[in-house]
C-alpha cells in the first residue's frame, strides 16, 4: 500500500508551500488526464468494432461499451477505498494498474481471436474511466476557499485534449503494430497501454506530497499549548492553528451549498475538516460509510442526485443520437461532427463553468445545467431524423448541461462532507453515476426501438425538470424567509 509522505510535514501557516503543492497537483492531474484520456477515447472508439470483428455479430458489439462502463462502476469503490487509506496516489495507482492489466488481456484476446476474453479485458479497461473520474476530486483536496470548482474544472477540461487527439493516433499505431508482428486490431489497445502507463508514471512520480494526505495533516488538531497560538473552530470545538482555515479552507462542516444543516454559504471554503463526533471513514465498507454519511447530509444527496441525473440524461440521448441520424440517412462524417460538437460542449467550457460555480453558487449552476439539458432534449428530441441542425444544437447544449451538473455537483458533494468521509462519498457517487449511465443507455435503446427518439427526449425532459425544481426549492424557501429570522 502507498502510505504517507515525508513531505506532508508542512506547517499550516506555510501558505506559499501549500499553494505550490496544489499547483503541482493540478499539473500532474492534468497531464495524467490528457494521457489517460487518449487511452479511454481510443477504447471507446474502437472496442465495439473489435468485438464485432471477433464475434461476427453486430448485436454483440454493444457489449463492449457495457463492459467498460461496468468496469468503471466496479472499480469506483475500490479506488475510493484505496484513496481513503493511502491517499489519492494509491487510488489512482490501483485504477491505472487495473486498466493496464485490461489492455494486456485485450491484446491477448485479439491475438487468440476471443471476443469473450476481450469483454473480460474491457471490464478491467474501464478502470481508466474510474481513474479519470477520481482525478477531478483529487483537485479539490487543497483548493483554497472559493476555488474548488475552478480547480476541479481545469482537470475536467484537460480530458478534452486526450479525447479529441486519441482516436487520431490509432491508425498509425495499428500500422506500426502490424509491422512489429502484432495481430491486426491490436493497435488501439497497444496505444491505450502506453497512454495508461504514462499516466501511471506521472501520478507515481509527480503526486508528491499526496494532496489528500497533506490536507489531513493540515486538518489534524494541534496539541494544546496553553497559549494564544491556537484557535478554536467553533463548529467542532477542536483546537488547532487558527490559520489553517485561511490556508486550506479547513472547517468542521463545510460546503458551498446553502444547506444550513451541513454547510455555510456558497462562497465557503473547500472544506477539508474533520469532526471528532463522526466515525472514521474506514469503519465498515466504503459503500456503507458513504451511504451512512449521505443519509445525514442533505446537500450531498442533492449534489449526488444532480450528478447522476445529468449523466443519465447525457448518456441516454447521446448514445441514441447516431441511431436517430442514421435513420435519416446521415453519413458517418455528419454523425462524427455532431458527436464532436457534443464532446466540445462537455469539456471545452469547463473552466468557465468552474468559475461561474465559484462565483454564482453550486445550486444555481446545477439548476442552470438542468435548464440546458431540458433545452437540449426539446431541440434534439423535437427534430426529425433529417433535421441535422437542431439535433447538433441540442447535442451541444446536452454536453454543456452535463458539464454544469458534473462540475457544480462534484464541488458541492466534496464540500458537503468532512474530509475523513470524503473519499467514501465520492466513490459512491462515481458508482451510482456509472450505474445510472449504463441503465440509461439500456432504457434509451428500448424506448427508441419500441417508440421513438422524440419519446426518449420527452422522458429525459420530465426527469431533468423534476430534478431542477427539487434543487431550486431550498433557494425559494431561503428567499421567502422573513429578514432577521434565524433558520
Amino acid at each position: 500500500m502507498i502510505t504517507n509522505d515525508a513531505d506532508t510535514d508542512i506547517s499550516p501557516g506555510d501558505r506559499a508551500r501549500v499553494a505550490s503543492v496544489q499547483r503541482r497537483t493540478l499539473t500532474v492531474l492534468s497531464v495524467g488526464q490528457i494521457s489517460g484520456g487518449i487511452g479511454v477515447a481510443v477504447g471507446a472508439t474502437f472496442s465495439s468494432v473489435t468485438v464485432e470483428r471477433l464475434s461476427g455479430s453486430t448485436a454483440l458489439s454493444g457489449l463492449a461499451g457495457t463492459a467498460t462502463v461496468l468496469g468503471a462502476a466496479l472499480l469506483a469503490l475500490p479506488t475510493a477505498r484505496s484513496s481513503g487509506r493511502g491517499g489519492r496516489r494509491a487510488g489512482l495507482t490501483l485504477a491505472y494498474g487495473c486498466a493496464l492489466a485490461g489492455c494486456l488481456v485485450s491484446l491477448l484476446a485479439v491475438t487468440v481471436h476471443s471476443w469473450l476474453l476481450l469483454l473480460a479485458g474491457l471490464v478491467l479497461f474501464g478502470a481508466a474511466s474510474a481513474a479519470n473520474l477520481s482525478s477531478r476530486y483529487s483537485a479539490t483536496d487543497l483548493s483554497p476557499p472559493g476555488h474548488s470548482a475552478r480547480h476541479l474544472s481545469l482537470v475536467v477540461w484537460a480530458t478534452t485534449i486526450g479525447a479529441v487527439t486519441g482516436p487520431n493516433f490509432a491508425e498509425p499505431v495499428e500500422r506500426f503494430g502490424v509491422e512489429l508482428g502484432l495481430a491486426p486490431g491490436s493497435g488501439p489497445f497497444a496505444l491505450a497501454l502506453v497512454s495508461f502507463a504514462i499516466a501511471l508514471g506521472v501520478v507515481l512520480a509527480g503526486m508528491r506530497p499526496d494532496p489528500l494526505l497533506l490536507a489531513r495533516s493540515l486538518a489534524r488538531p494541534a496539541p494544546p499549548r496553553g497559549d494564544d497560538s491556537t484557535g478554536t473552530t467553533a463548529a467542532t470545538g477542536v483546537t488547532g492553528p487558527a490559520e489553517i482555515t485561511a490556508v486550506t479552507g479547513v472547517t468542521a462542516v463545510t460546503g458551498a451549498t446553502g444547506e444550513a444543516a451541513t454547510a455555510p454559504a456558497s462562497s465557503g471554503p473547500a472544506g477539508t475538516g474533520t469532526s471528532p463526533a463522526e466515525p472514521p471513514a474506514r469503519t465498515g465498507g466504503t459503500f456503507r460509510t458513504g451511504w451512512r454519511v449521505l443519509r445525514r447530509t442533505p446537500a450531498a444527496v442533492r449534489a449526488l442526485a444532480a450528478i447522476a441525473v445529468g449523466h443519465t440524461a447525457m448518456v441516454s440521448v447521446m448514445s441514441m443520437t447516431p441511431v436517430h441520424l442514421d435513420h435519416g440517412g446521415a453519413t458517418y462524417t455528419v454523425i462524427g461532427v455532431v458527436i464532436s460538437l457534443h464532446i466540445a460542449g462537455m469539456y471545452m467550457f469547463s473552466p468557465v463553468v468552474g468559475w461561474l460555480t465559484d462565483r454564482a453558487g453550486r445550486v444555481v449552476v446545477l439548476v442552470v445545467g438542468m435548464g440546458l439539458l431540458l433545452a437540449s432534449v426539446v431541440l434534439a428530441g423535437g427534430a426529425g431524423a433529417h433535421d441535422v441542425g437542431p439535433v447538433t444544437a441540442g447535442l451541444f447544449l446536452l454536453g454543456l448541461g452535463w458539464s454544469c451538473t458534473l462540475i457544480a455537483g462534484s464541488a458541492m458533494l466534496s464540500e458537503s462532507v468532512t474530509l475523513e468521509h470524503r473519499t467514501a462519498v465520492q466513490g459512491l457517487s462515481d458508482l451510482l453515476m456509472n450505474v445510472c449511465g449504463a441503465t440509461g443507455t439500456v432504457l434509451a435503446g428500448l424506448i427508441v426501438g419500441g417508440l421513438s427518439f422524440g419519446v426518449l427526449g420527452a422522458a429525459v425532459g420530465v426527469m431533468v425538470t423534476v430534478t431542477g425544481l427539487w434543487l431550486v426549492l431550498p433557494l425559494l424557501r431561503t428567499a421567502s424567509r422573513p429578514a432577521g429570522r434565524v433558520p
Side-chain angles (χ1 to χ4, degrees):
M1 180 191 299
I2 298 175
T3 56
N4 208 339
D5 305 301
D7 286 343
T8 56
D9 187 17
I10 297 178
S11 168
D14 193 351
R15 306 180 184 187
R17 182 80 179 278
V18 175
S20 175
V21 172
Q22 176 65 349
R23 287 194 297 270
R24 179 184 178 90
T25 299
L26 292 176
T27 300
V28 170
L29 291 172
S30 296
V31 173
Q33 286 289 86
I34 293 171
S35 182
I38 291 175
V40 172
V42 168
T45 304
F46 295 101
S47 59
S48 59
V49 176
T50 307
V51 169
E52 182 181 27
R53 289 176 178 174
L54 294 180
S55 66
S57 170
T58 301
L60 291 176
S61 65
L63 293 178
T66 303
T68 54
V69 172
L70 176 63
L74 291 176
L75 264 295
L77 290 182
T79 299
R81 185 182 303 114
S82 184
S83 296
R85 292 176 176 175
R88 298 293 186 182
R89 191 171 66 249
L92 293 176
T93 298
L94 172 65
Y96 280 126
C98 289
L100 285 171
C103 290
L104 293 174
V105 173
S106 299
L107 286 170
L108 176 62
V110 173
T111 302
V112 300
H113 300 282
S114 172
W115 64 271
L116 285 173
L117 184 61
L118 178 57
L119 290 179
L122 290 175
V123 171
L124 289 171
F125 192 101
S129 295
N132 283 4
L133 290 173
S134 179
S135 292
R136 78 188 192 277
Y137 287 126
S138 305
T140 66
D141 293 326
L142 293 173
S143 294
H147 288 75
S148 60
R150 270 172 277 192
H151 288 182
L152 184 151
S153 69
L154 291 175
V155 176
V156 173
W157 178 84
T159 309
T160 310
I161 302 175
V164 172
T165 61
N168 296 317
F169 293 123
E171 187 172 349
V173 171
E174 170 70 10
R175 290 198 299 265
F176 182 66
V178 172
E179 292 178 1
L180 293 178
L182 295 177
S186 300
F189 300 106
L191 175 59
L193 179 71
V194 174
S195 72
F196 295 154
I198 293 174
L200 177 59
V202 168
V203 168
L204 286 174
M207 194 172 284
R208 297 176 183 272
D210 188 281
L212 181 59
L213 297 183
L214 177 56
R216 287 176 175 172
S217 176
L218 294 170
R220 193 173 298 125
R225 288 181 288 179
D227 55 30
D228 294 333
S229 61
T230 59
T232 300
T233 303
T236 63
V238 176
T239 302
E243 65 266 58
I244 291 180
T245 299
V247 179
T248 59
V250 173
T251 54
V253 184
T254 61
T257 63
E259 294 285 348
T262 57
S266 61
S267 60
T272 56
T274 59
S275 171
E278 303 211 22
R282 64 191 64 178
T283 300
T286 303
F287 181 88
R288 285 179 294 170
T289 300
W291 183 252
R292 186 173 62 247
V293 173
L294 276 176
R295 289 177 61 185
R296 60 173 179 258
T297 314
V301 173
R302 293 181 183 278
L304 189 150
I307 293 172
V309 169
H311 190 65
T312 303
M314 185 277 292
V315 172
S316 300
V317 177
M318 182 271 292
S319 64
M320 298 311 300
T321 297
V323 176
H324 180 59
L325 292 176
D326 181 66
H327 290 168
T331 64
Y332 284 172
T333 301
V334 170
I335 294 174
V337 169
V338 172
I339 298 301
S340 295
L341 290 174
H342 166 68
I343 294 174
M346 290 174 64
Y347 297 113
M348 186 177 295
F349 298 97
S350 295
V352 177
V353 174
W355 174 84
L356 183 63
T357 299
D358 284 331
R359 293 296 298 271
R362 280 69 170 130
V363 177
V364 171
V365 175
L366 287 176
V367 174
V368 169
M370 294 299 165
L372 289 171
L373 292 173
L374 177 60
S376 73
V377 295
V378 169
L379 276 172
H386 300 280
D387 299 328
V388 176
V391 172
T392 302
L395 265 288
F396 177 80
L397 292 178
L398 184 73
L400 190 57
W402 175 86
S403 181
C404 290
T405 59
L406 181 76
I407 292 172
S410 298
M412 181 174 172
L413 183 73
S414 296
E415 296 167 348
S416 299
V417 297
T418 59
L419 179 63
E420 190 67 23
H421 297 101
R422 186 174 296 172
T423 55
V425 175
Q426 290 168 344
L428 180 59
S429 170
D430 286 345
L431 170 65
L432 294 179
M433 177 180 174
N434 282 294
V435 169
C436 288
T439 304
T441 303
V442 173
L443 293 177
L446 295 175
I447 291 173
V448 173
L451 299 170
S452 69
F453 187 73
V455 173
L456 172 64
V460 171
V462 171
M463 178 178 67
V464 299
T465 299
V466 171
T467 305
L469 292 174
W470 177 62
L471 289 170
V472 82
L473 281 178
L475 296 181
L476 296 178
R477 284 198 296 263
T478 301
S480 63
R481 187 176 295 131
R485 177 184 172 186
V486 178

